[in-house]
Amino acid sequence: MSGETRIWTPIDYDADGKQTDCLRLPHSSDLSAYGWIPIPLVCIKNGAGPTALLVAGNHGDEYEGQIALANLAREIQLHQVSGRLLILPALNAPAVAAGRRVSPLDDGNLNRLFPGDASGSPTEMIAHYVCEVLIPMADVVVDLHSGGRSLNYVASTLVRPGRTAGEHEALLRLMRFFGAPISFVSDGTGGGGLTTLAAAAQDRGALALTTELGGGATLSREGLSLAEAGLKRLLKDQGILRDVAVEPASPTRLMTVRGHSAFVYARDRGIFEPAANIGDEVVAGQIAGRIHFPDLPTREPEMLFFESSGLVACRRVPSLTDRGDCLFKVMADLNGGADGALHA
């Protein structure tokens, strides 16, 4: 990470009011030498109070959060806010426009490039701006995800482990009020580790919540409803929204991801036949699926087994798979049993 950001916006983050415009991401191409790419931004500020940074489109093929934030941006009026809302429903705008996990400009996976680089690729420039300009304003950051093209997820929220007991309890509170059926604590094993938006936010002192709301590059109605209701509950609890009706949160099952053994990966290229669905309870040693080889019809399918017991959190969507593809992730109850529910 180096230098001052090259991204700019006419929005005044310190001015009261509801402002709608965009970030300008400089991008020079054959047909636009001095051009920029718009990244939609809504800033709603009403006096003193905490700031929430709400993000979707970190990955462009994950849709529930994009629609939820656009709906919220239209619905919320200035008088309902105490403090400030920063709403970015299409953070990696080139990836959103292409319906891809990664940017078509540089193949950049935004949620693997934090803290970014002011003079780097377009995706690195976005990550840098978020880290150096947006996160320092925020008390709480919500990054809305789902499984994209390759995975389907149980509706869930996740946080990184708190660095102190107080921070950890504050993170659990965010999950309680969001109210997903499943909430889990993860250090990023199998994913982005310290290169994610959530890790960058935590490193800069903000509370960060991430969601998984569906997947398969489709729109889950249940995931969209959860995102809209959960955001309102969370923002009302944080004192940022007022005069907004919210439904009580349902209890959420508190779980965790226990290292690399929680994952099942393909060991060869072929057609994946799953033997479990998301939400299933499985035990270590249980068959997870088979890889078939239609180009070698006399070869026996390769059997795959779960290494951990718990709940199937996600499953690969495309049947065609290659060596190293994630097929399943399993979560275990944090307290050793299914009674470890969190109540708002």
Side-chain angles (χ1 to χ4, degrees), residues 149-152 263-278 280 282 286-295 301-306 312 314-330:
R149 292 186 189 184
S150 71
L151 294 171
N152 195 17
F263 297 83
V264 177
Y265 292 99
R267 295 195 293 267
D268 209 340
R269 178 177 175 82
I271 298 174
F272 169 48
E273 177 196 354
N277 293 309
I278 61 169
D280 286 355
V282 298
Q286 179 178 330
I287 184 171
R290 301 171 180 85
I291 302 294
H292 294 267
F293 310 100
D295 56 333
E302 181 180 7
M303 304 283 283
L304 301 166
F305 300 90
F306 291 105
V312 177
C314 70
R315 195 197 84 183
R316 180 172 174 81
V317 174
S319 296
L320 186 63
T321 190
D322 210 340
R323 186 178 184 184
D325 286 337
C326 177
L327 306 177
F328 291 104
K329 179 171 75 174
V330 174

Side-chain angles (χ1 to χ4, degrees), residues 60 92-100:
N92 194 350
V96 169
R100 294 180 55 188

Side-chain angles (χ1 to χ4, degrees), residues 108-124:
N109 181 341
L110 179 55
N111 213 36
R112 302 294 183 270
L113 288 175
F114 289 92
D117 188 333
S119 301
S121 69
T123 309
E124 290 173 321

Side-chain angles (χ1 to χ4, degrees), residues 8 33 39 44 91 94 96 102 106 122 130 135 198 202 217 227 231 271 278-279 294 303 308 334 344:
W8 80 99
I39 298 173
I44 309 174
L91 181 60
V96 169
V102 302
D106 55 13
V130 171
I135 291 176
Q202 184 180 53
L231 283 170
I271 298 174
I278 61 169
M303 304 283 283
S308 296
L334 192 60

